[in-house]
Amino acid sequence: MLCPDLHSLTLLFLQMKLTSQNHTTVTEFVLMGFSNIPKFQSFLFATFLVIYMMIRMGNSLIILITKTNRSLHTPMYFFLRNLSFLEVGYTSVTLPRMLANLWTQSRTNPFLACATQMYFFLMFGVAECFLLAVMAYDRYVAICNPLQHSIIMDDKACLQMAAGSWIGGIPVQMGQTYQIFSLPFCESNKLNHFFCDVPPVLELACGGTAMNELSVHAEALLFVTAPFLLILVSYIQIISTILELPSKTGKHKAFSTCSSHLIVVTSFFGSAIITYLRPKSSHSANVDKFLSLFYIIVTPILNSMIYSLRNKEMTVARKKLLSQLF
């Protein structure tokens, strides 16, 4: 659960702003968001506020339950606790700003604030890709090599994998954000999105963006597609092993455990791969907005609902906690 020093990050972006000042007249961006449907601003604010509170409460409950219940002190729930903590941070980077814009109708976002939002959004996104891959590997070891699971996935290995997931993308995403906001922005400052994502910001750049687009695709292949392929290989092995189990009860339990993770993986990676790997010519503002809702809203709320409601161990632990509190 590590993040770069905020003071150092601020100094970096201030330096970036000063060095690019001679090439740009843009000092702030205007997040157009859902301005094309003015009659629904109040409805959207209420809807997204409820969703944000559900995400915060659901994932916070998972963190509390897996931390306080000793029977859940296993690698699977350790990584789930990390994922829930990550989801809270991930949504907090984007949703509060979107809610403020909907409530006040003031859509301006300063240059530095936009750069900072993009950096933390990318950092949390990469961490989630790695963490979902680590969770798939844990399920692979638990099902395909159960006798060695406690040895392979000991406390030290789990801590190293979690730390690697959190800090793995920090240097690269800092460089990526620096490169994007070093571009000249000299025409429009109207960002046709509800947060500072990579594709809509690149569309506003008036210089050559071919190298930046190539860099985005390369990083998407490294940080999104590669973990997804590792997850895919893990689940091919897992499903093959499950189908060989003699007991129907064992098959059902194994499939139940893995299906929750697969639903979260599909919604997150599917939308992220389409957003960042399709060519610029096929980008559409409305499609980008729709897809981004999947990885900033749908996946976090699915995570909290699936693991809270469908997981029997979590259900028992939740009832035990509530009985102790009340």
Side-chain angles (χ1 to χ4, degrees):
M1 301 179 185
L2 302 173
C3 66
D5 181 76
L6 191 57
H7 178 67
S8 300
L9 182 65
T10 303
L11 290 176
L12 173 65
F13 283 133
L14 282 172
Q15 183 185 12
M16 172 188 71
K17 180 68 169 61
L18 290 171
T19 55
S20 62
Q21 206 165 25
N22 294 330
H23 306 285
T24 179
T25 57
V26 172
T27 58
E28 63 183 16
F29 293 96
V30 179
L31 298 172
M32 301 306 292
F34 302 99
S35 58
N36 58 327
I37 44 175
K39 294 182 179 179
F40 291 91
Q41 300 297 294
S42 298
F43 171 76
L44 289 171
F45 173 80
T47 302
F48 289 128
L49 178 62
V50 170
I51 290 173
Y52 181 52
M53 295 307 296
M54 288 174 64
I55 291 171
R56 290 291 298 261
M57 292 173 62
N59 284 287
S60 297
L61 183 62
I62 290 174
I63 294 169
L64 178 63
I65 291 173
T66 56
K67 185 68 175 177
T68 57
N69 193 306
R70 295 190 63 83
S71 65
L72 300 181
H73 287 184
T74 63
M76 174 182 170
Y77 292 106
F78 169 74
F79 293 127
L80 177 59
R81 182 162 65 249
N82 274 265
L83 181 64
S84 294
F85 188 88
L86 190 151
E87 299 284 26
V88 172
Y90 193 57
T91 53
S92 297
V93 170
T94 53
L95 284 180
R97 182 70 197 185
M98 184 169 69
L99 290 169
N101 291 345
L102 287 168
W103 179 256
T104 64
Q105 296 301 303
S106 174
R107 305 180 186 281
T108 58
N109 199 17
F111 191 91
L112 177 60
C114 193
T116 304
Q117 183 184 51
M118 179 185 286
Y119 167 72
F120 279 101
F121 170 76
L122 292 174
M123 188 198 77
F124 281 124
V126 169
E128 181 151 356
C129 291
F130 288 160
L131 200 55
L132 288 172
V134 167
M135 292 175 74
Y137 175 71
D138 172 61
R139 291 298 83 209
Y140 162 75
V141 176
I143 293 172
C144 300
N145 196 3
L147 297 178
Q148 297 293 316
H149 182 249
S150 60
I151 299 172
I152 297 172
M153 302 299 292
D154 60 8
D155 290 346
K156 182 180 179 181
C158 290
L159 284 170
Q160 288 175 341
M161 289 180 183
S165 299
W166 279 95
I167 67 177
I170 286 176
V172 178
Q173 297 312 321
M174 187 175 286
Q176 175 79 283
T177 307
Y178 179 86
Q179 287 181 348
I180 291 173
F181 282 89
S182 293
L183 291 169
F185 298 94
C186 50
E187 294 179 4
S188 173
N189 69 337
K190 293 183 178 180
L191 200 67
N192 195 4
H193 214 300
F194 46 82
F195 72 99
C196 296
D197 202 359
V198 174
V201 172
L202 281 178
E203 285 183 7
L204 295 183
C206 58
T209 61
M211 290 303 296
N212 297 89
E213 291 168 24
L214 183 62
S215 175
V216 169
H217 279 76
E219 290 186 23
L221 286 170
L222 178 62
F223 295 123
V224 181
T225 309
F228 179 71
L229 291 176
L230 289 173
I231 293 170
L232 192 62
V233 170
S234 296
Y235 272 98
I236 290 173
Q237 295 293 324
I238 288 169
I239 291 170
S240 299
T241 303
I242 291 173
L243 292 175
E244 294 175 359
L245 293 175
S247 168
K248 289 185 177 180
T249 305
K251 287 181 181 179
H252 176 75
K253 184 178 180 181
F255 272 122
S256 178
T257 303
C258 296
S259 63
S260 301
H261 186 241
L262 275 175
I263 293 170
V264 175
V265 165
T266 303
S267 65
F268 181 78
F269 279 99
S271 55
I273 288 172
I274 295 172
T275 299
Y276 292 102
L277 285 179
R278 76 184 197 275
K280 184 180 179 180
S281 57
S282 65
H283 273 279
S284 163
N286 291 329
V287 173
D288 285 347
K289 290 179 191 177
F290 175 75
L291 289 171
S292 62
L293 289 176
F294 272 87
Y295 49 78
I296 68 170
I297 289 178
V298 176
T299 302
I301 203 166
L302 273 177
N303 177 59
S304 60
M305 290 179 66
I306 288 171
Y307 284 105
S308 295
L309 301 177
R310 292 187 74 246
N311 186 292
K312 291 183 179 179
E313 291 177 318
M314 286 291 294
T315 302
V316 171
R318 185 179 69 251
K319 289 179 179 179
K320 182 179 179 181
L321 176 65
L322 291 174
S323 66
Q324 290 173 345
L325 293 175
F326 306 103

